[in-house]
Amino acid sequence: MFAPSEDQQALIDAARAAAEAILGPTVREDDEAERFRRDAFRRLGEAGLCGIPTAEAWGGLGLGYLEYAMVLEEVAAVSAAYGVALAVSGLPQVILARYGTDAQRERWIPGLAAGELLGGFALSESGSGSDAASLKTTARRVGDEWVLNGSKFWITHAGVGDVFIVMARTGGPGARGISAFIVPADAPGVSFPKREEKMGMRASPTGEVLLEDARIPADHLVGKEGEGFRIAMSALDSGRITIGAISVGLARAAWEYASRYACEREQFGRPIIRFQGVGFMLADMAMRVEAARLLVHKAAWLRDEGRPYTHVAAMAKCTATDTAMAVTTDAVQVLGGNGYIREYPVERYMRDAKVMQIVEGTNQVQRLVIARHLERTFGPR
Ligand SMILES: Cc1cc2nc3c(=O)[nH]c(=O)nc-3n(C[C@H](O)[C@H](O)[C@H](O)COP(=O)(O)OP(=O)(O)OC[C@H]3O[C@@H](n4cnc5c(N)ncnc54)[C@H](O)[C@@H]3O)c2cc1C
């Protein structure tokens, strides 16, 4: 666990090489132009990176979340936006692998694992983010179909994705009234009217998924009616490991860049790393990156071992994303004026890091998850 095995190191090297070759040359332009390149995503698929934990029978590599975390760190160190693309397109795979029917798995997972299809996960609405169980989108059974109405907000891959797992209300209020559905992007009544302009993560498209009498076949329900919230929460447990891994990649990229810069940049006749104020900042960055990675790997390992991991995934997400924010901010400081201009990548790292503290449950929500675990562990029985 403290050092990658030979196979894991080969995977890390391959992921780094693929990310640098496929994403590296245009990462800055893609950020500037808010451009997501499907061809680049497909090429990541050809490199085997779109289905790391997905079973080989469905076209994945059949590896664990530990390997998945290692790959995401490498991809995100080059482009956090494509790290997010791999993680988000992985959510329908993990959901269908666990809760889908054989027909649903066969129809969707191989394409997603190959990177030919791009997936998404639509839980949030403008009125229900942290309080996801209060969502208002409805699904009504009409003959052989489900008819969905509502609007999903801030959805990654809206407008570019092929298929979304959508949570909608089929019963009464609260978590138990929610069900999960497979919604193809080209289903009648589905549209993507709005793409958001963002501070960071600009190469990762985010927008609205509008459902106006959207019709999908009856067999597009995932799991049982009323099981949708449980499905969403279990997907988010897994997803938090991936968000943590991406954040470690971002933080590492910023820290490495700043360290190299501080060794080269001279002021007052010496490299700035020799000023204690700068050297200590870099030392703190190094400690935080190493510690965050260990926590992410521990959460991944627990999941791979089939042990309870919800609270550790929340700790990993929270720690790694706070680390990414702090380390990228300090990297800007180490570069001084150059940290603030677009010619250098660290301002992008900092803009990209911010959203990681918000998605897949804000870091306040992660603390709620951890506190609930503490109460269950230490409270009266
Ligand atoms: C770039 C981007 C991509 C996204 N992608 C997706 C996606 O693909 N699919 C999807 O479903 N959603 C997605 N989201 C939505 C994201 O998950 C929500 O924004 C997030 O869950 C927070 O919800 P909210 O924005 O409504 O904030 P709110 O819930 O309104 O929270 C506002 C503030 O209040 C705090 N707060 C709320 N409740 C509590 C509480 N009980 N205790 C303490 N503090 C609290 C929050 O931590 C936050 O600081 C994305 C968002 C962004 C910005």
Side-chain angles (χ1 to χ4, degrees), residues 250-266 270-291 323 326-336 346 349:
L250 254 178
R252 189 193 87 201
W255 156 61
E256 287 182 350
Y257 197 95
S259 298
R260 258 182 244 113
Y261 185 92
C263 292
E264 277 168 22
R265 170 78 172 170
E266 292 194 0
R270 67 181 74 165
I272 59 170
I273 195 167
R274 297 219 188 120
F275 297 114
Q276 204 177 60
V278 175
F280 278 19
M281 215 189 306
L282 290 164
D284 285 342
M285 290 156 81
M287 286 189 267
R288 295 191 74 155
V289 172
E290 292 286 345
T323 293
V327 167
T328 55
T329 305
D330 283 350
V332 170
Q333 193 68 18
V334 169
L335 266 73
V346 291
Y349 297 147

Side-chain angles (χ1 to χ4, degrees), residues 52-99:
I52 303 281
T54 298
E56 284 175 284
W58 300 319
L61 295 189
L63 298 172
Y65 262 62
L66 187 52
E67 287 79 15
Y68 194 14
M70 290 168 174
V71 165
L72 288 175
E73 178 181 331
E74 294 309 320
V75 173
V78 179
S79 165
Y82 284 83
V84 166
L86 293 178
V88 170
S89 200
L91 285 175
Q93 297 179 57
V94 80
I95 289 172
L96 294 178
R98 179 154 177 205
Y99 297 98

Side-chain angles (χ1 to χ4, degrees), residues 121-124 129-130 153-156 198 206 355 358-362 364 368:
F121 172 83
L123 174 65
S124 304
S130 302
F153 229 66
W154 306 290
I155 303 306
T156 302
K198 306 201 295 294
T206 310
V355 79
I358 296 169
V359 293
E360 304 222 358
T362 66
Q364 286 73 33
L368 285 179

